[in-house]
Amino acid sequence: MQYFTISEFARLRNININSLRYYEKKGLLAPAYIDEKTKYRYYSAEQLPTLDTILLCIDLGIPLKNLTQYLDEQGVLQFQKLLVEGKALAQQRIEKIQRNLNSVEFFLQNMEQNRVPRDKNTVYERHIRRRHIIMTTIFPELPERRQIEIEVAKLYKTAQENALMPLLPANQLLIYQNPEQTVCSFFLEVATKENTGSNLSVLPEGVYPCITVDRKDSRNTKEIIQKNWGYQEGMAVIVYNVHVEKCNFGSEPTELQLTSIRALNGLVGTAIGETGLPSGT
């Protein structure tokens, strides 16, 4: 029988000889022959299908430690089972990549919408597209930062479990119950196709009065809202994180978007009833 040296055998599939040593260590592909004197390792052409199967597992994302699960009692490879399960793993990776592409596309669109510089704390109007979101319950007062992060983490997990791409960071919804009391909720926007959002909450498309602020500034967000819009019966404000081309880690560019309880009634109607807000305003 003619043999290949370990280097020759590795070159047949353009891999490193250390990979062959690793496969041998794991008991997946032992050399066909080891010279007793030199300890040189040699492989045969008949071992190429085994190597190809190992490389296929790697490409499909199947852990090599699981390769033995595809061998029957006689050590025969159940190739169809391997391919079926490998296909499922590959499909999962494709879906994840697509979600990542949707997320990147969202951020690029968001940056494009915010390319025009605006004076801080000055009201302007902007047309904003429909947004799909998942949101927390409504809190009667602003929670501590730790509690906020815990609630947002739950939203993030929910989005992932439903194959949605959650877009961080989280945003805030302020609902004015009366001039003295403001309740709030937090939400994540999710990148999704229009026809897959039927089970999601929606922020409606429309023209919103807006103010650009930096929440790292010393001025309080509510003070800015009060100065520019005062208190209007049934008002709500979306505190929305703005994605810009360049930003410092120490800044939080934010857009305050004015809306109303009426416009959001379908979104927060149940929560409004629970908190005693006037759902008919």
Side-chain angles (χ1 to χ4, degrees), residues 25 44 51 55 58 64 77 81 100 104-105 107 122 131 150 156-157 189 191 195 201-202 235-236 253 268:
K25 181 179 178 180
S44 67
L51 177 58
L55 298 179
I58 294 173
L64 292 182
L77 177 66
K81 179 181 178 182
N100 288 335
V104 169
E105 182 63 26
F107 287 124
T122 300
R131 290 166 285 182
I150 290 174
Y156 190 85
K157 181 179 180 181
E189 186 170 359
N195 59 1
S201 299
V202 173
M235 72 180 286
V268 297

Side-chain angles (χ1 to χ4, degrees), residues 1-127:
M1 178 181 293
Q2 294 183 340
Y3 294 109
F4 298 97
T5 66
I6 189 170
S7 297
E8 292 172 335
F9 196 68
R11 283 197 295 270
L12 292 176
R13 292 299 181 265
N14 195 30
I15 62 175
N16 192 288
I17 60 174
N18 290 329
S19 297
L20 290 176
R21 293 193 177 104
Y22 177 76
Y23 305 150
E24 178 186 358
K25 181 179 178 180
K26 292 297 182 180
L28 300 174
L29 181 60
Y33 167 70
I34 300 178
D35 189 290
E36 294 183 358
K37 295 181 179 180
T38 64
K39 303 301 180 183
Y40 288 170
R41 285 159 166 73
Y42 297 90
Y43 294 82
S44 67
E46 287 74 18
Q47 291 181 290
L48 280 173
T50 302
L51 177 58
D52 290 339
T53 301
I54 292 172
L55 298 179
L56 177 62
C57 285
I58 294 173
D59 288 340
L60 293 176
I62 298 174
L64 292 182
K65 64 180 181 180
N66 295 344
L67 183 56
T68 55
Q69 298 178 7
Y70 301 97
L71 302 177
D72 62 18
E73 295 179 354
Q74 288 73 41
V76 178
L77 177 66
Q78 301 177 71
F79 195 51
Q80 183 178 21
K81 179 181 178 182
L82 184 149
L83 290 178
V84 169
E85 297 187 10
K87 178 182 177 181
L89 289 174
Q91 187 62 43
Q92 291 175 11
R93 291 204 304 276
I94 291 172
E95 292 172 356
K96 183 175 181 179
I97 291 172
Q98 186 58 59
R99 292 196 300 271
N100 288 335
L101 287 175
N102 290 343
S103 179
V104 169
E105 182 63 26
F106 165 83
F107 287 124
L108 290 174
Q109 291 177 358
N110 196 284
M111 289 177 186
E112 185 64 28
Q113 292 172 357
N114 291 283
R115 186 181 297 275
V116 179
R118 303 179 177 93
D119 295 332
K120 287 183 180 179
N121 308 323
T122 300
V123 178
Y124 55 89
E125 290 190 343
R126 184 161 79 87
H127 180 271

Side-chain angles (χ1 to χ4, degrees), residues 40-277:
Y40 288 170
R41 285 159 166 73
Y42 297 90
Y43 294 82
S44 67
E46 287 74 18
Q47 291 181 290
L48 280 173
T50 302
L51 177 58
D52 290 339
T53 301
I54 292 172
L55 298 179
L56 177 62
C57 285
I58 294 173
D59 288 340
L60 293 176
I62 298 174
L64 292 182
K65 64 180 181 180
N66 295 344
L67 183 56
T68 55
Q69 298 178 7
Y70 301 97
L71 302 177
D72 62 18
E73 295 179 354
Q74 288 73 41
V76 178
L77 177 66
Q78 301 177 71
F79 195 51
Q80 183 178 21
K81 179 181 178 182
L82 184 149
L83 290 178
V84 169
E85 297 187 10
K87 178 182 177 181
L89 289 174
Q91 187 62 43
Q92 291 175 11
R93 291 204 304 276
I94 291 172
E95 292 172 356
K96 183 175 181 179
I97 291 172
Q98 186 58 59
R99 292 196 300 271
N100 288 335
L101 287 175
N102 290 343
S103 179
V104 169
E105 182 63 26
F106 165 83
F107 287 124
L108 290 174
Q109 291 177 358
N110 196 284
M111 289 177 186
E112 185 64 28
Q113 292 172 357
N114 291 283
R115 186 181 297 275
V116 179
R118 303 179 177 93
D119 295 332
K120 287 183 180 179
N121 308 323
T122 300
V123 178
Y124 55 89
E125 290 190 343
R126 184 161 79 87
H127 180 271
I128 301 178
R129 57 176 175 73
R130 184 183 187 190
R131 290 166 285 182
H132 294 100
I133 66 170
I134 52 176
M135 61 187 296
T136 66
T137 57
I138 290 184
F139 299 95
E141 57 185 24
L142 183 66
E144 295 292 332
R145 181 64 182 265
R146 182 177 185 276
Q147 183 61 34
I148 294 173
E149 295 302 335
I150 290 174
E151 295 300 322
V152 170
K154 292 178 182 177
L155 294 181
Y156 190 85
K157 181 179 180 181
T158 298
Q160 290 184 315
E161 290 175 346
N162 288 274
L164 300 168
M165 174 53 70
L167 304 170
L168 292 170
N171 305 288
Q172 185 179 5
L173 175 63
L174 301 175
I175 302 172
Y176 287 78
Q177 187 169 7
N178 55 57
E180 288 76 34
Q181 184 178 6
T182 306
V183 297
C184 65
S185 176
F186 298 88
F187 66 89
L188 289 177
E189 186 170 359
V190 294
T192 181
K193 298 295 185 182
E194 286 294 320
N195 59 1
T196 62
S198 57
N199 294 326
L200 298 172
S201 299
V202 173
L203 291 176
E205 180 178 2
V207 176
Y208 289 73
C210 301
I211 306 173
T212 297
V213 300
D214 189 333
R215 280 191 286 173
K216 287 293 185 180
D217 289 349
S218 59
R219 300 184 63 184
N220 184 280
T221 299
K222 290 186 179 180
E223 292 177 356
I224 297 173
I225 293 172
Q226 182 66 32
K227 177 183 177 181
N228 288 275
W229 291 318
Y231 168 76
Q232 304 173 34
E233 184 177 359
M235 72 180 286
V237 176
I238 300 167
V239 184
Y240 191 78
N241 292 285
V242 176
H243 301 95
V244 294
E245 292 178 338
K246 298 179 181 179
C247 63
N248 296 320
F249 286 112
S251 66
E252 292 184 13
T254 306
E255 187 173 69
L256 308 179
Q257 303 166 355
L258 180 64
T259 183
S260 67
I261 294 174
R262 181 183 296 276
L264 301 176
N265 192 49
L267 174 66
V268 297
T270 302
I272 285 174
E274 292 174 352
T275 57
L277 289 169

